[in-house]
């Protein structure tokens, strides 16, 4: 009986020492990864949000939204060049996306390139004239270009759209700054 126990023990120990291959399967699709990124971003877990947006972009290479969200994460971190790159990637996938155009104009302005931002801001306004954020960006670009009269005009257009309180305050502050 003793050799049987010894052999069983050796086999048991040997079996435990074998490497195991575990294959993980990601059950989430691109939209779910993007939504998870939004949830992380709302909780200010920016690194985790970026990881989820990158995964969403990998899973659906033709979808612009994860790239816009990656641009927003980069912008939130003050990386205006990186943000502009992501917005350009989004526009390569969906050339008429007003949010990507608007955000690209904002990022370029913050990066000190308002001349390059102006056509994007104008295109965003033309595409989404009912979005006060686009008018705010256009006003910001005009201010950066030293064109206060056109900035006031853009602010008036944005205010006429009854923006939410924080955006209203941002627009009104542009009136007093020029």
């Amino acid at each position: 009986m003793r050799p049987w126990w010894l052999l069983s023990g050796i086999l048991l120990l040997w079996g435990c020492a074998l490497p195991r291959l575990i294959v993980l399967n990601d059950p989430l699709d691109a939209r779910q990864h993007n939504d998870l990124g939004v949830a992380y971003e709302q909780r200010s877990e920016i690194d985790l949000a970026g990881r989820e947006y990158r995964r969403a972009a990998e899973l659906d290479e033709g979808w612009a939204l994860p790239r816009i969200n990656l641009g927003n994460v980069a912008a939130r971190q003050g990386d205006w060049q990186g943000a502009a790159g992501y917005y350009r990637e989004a526009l390569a996938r969906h050339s008429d996306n007003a949010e990507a155009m608007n955000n690209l104009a904002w990022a370029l302005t913050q990066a000190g390139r308002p001349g390059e931002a102006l056509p994007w801001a104008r295109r965003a306004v033309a595409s989404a004239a009912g979005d006060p954020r686009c008018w705010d960006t256009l006003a910001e670009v005009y201010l950066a270009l030293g064109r206060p009269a056109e900035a006031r005009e853009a602010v008036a257009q944005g205010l006429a759209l009854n923006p939410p309180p924080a955006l209203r305050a941002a627009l009104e502050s542009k009136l007093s700054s020029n």
Side-chain angles (χ1 to χ4, degrees):
M1 239 342 162
R2 191 171 184 166
W4 172 249
W5 284 105
L6 183 61
L7 183 59
S8 297
I10 291 171
L11 288 174
L12 181 65
L13 289 174
W14 183 66
C16 292
L18 288 176
R20 294 197 174 122
L21 181 61
I22 299 172
V23 178
L24 297 177
N25 183 19
D26 185 355
L28 302 181
D29 65 17
R31 297 196 189 295
Q32 291 167 323
H33 276 286
N34 189 74
D35 291 346
L36 186 54
V38 170
Y40 280 135
E41 195 171 357
Q42 288 172 343
R43 292 177 31 184
S44 295
E45 297 182 53
I46 302 305
D47 291 337
L48 292 174
R51 182 188 72 193
E52 294 304 320
Y53 295 144
R54 277 188 292 284
R55 184 69 180 131
E58 289 169 8
L59 288 171
D60 188 344
E61 293 184 8
W63 191 26
L65 185 58
R67 286 163 179 81
I68 293 171
N69 290 337
L70 281 165
N72 294 345
V73 165
R76 188 170 177 171
Q77 294 171 328
D79 178 8
W80 299 111
Q81 298 291 19
Y86 284 121
Y87 299 137
R88 287 183 194 281
E89 286 180 21
L91 287 164
R93 282 147 183 83
H94 186 212
S95 62
D96 293 334
N97 188 301
E99 182 179 8
M101 288 185 266
N102 184 65
N103 293 3
L104 176 57
W106 185 268
L108 290 170
T109 302
Q110 299 309 307
R113 296 163 39 201
E116 191 179 338
L118 184 58
W120 291 108
R122 286 180 174 160
R123 280 185 62 192
V125 164
S127 181
D131 187 343
R133 294 172 302 172
C134 294
W135 290 102
D136 178 61
T137 299
L138 183 60
E140 187 78 16
V141 172
Y142 280 137
L143 286 174
L145 290 170
R147 295 162 66 174
E150 290 161 300
R152 279 192 296 279
E153 201 174 297
V155 166
Q157 291 287 336
L159 289 173
L161 295 170
N162 196 23
L167 185 54
R168 175 173 289 283
L171 283 161
E172 289 172 346
S173 74
K174 286 176 180 52
L175 285 177
S176 62
S177 70
N178 62 63

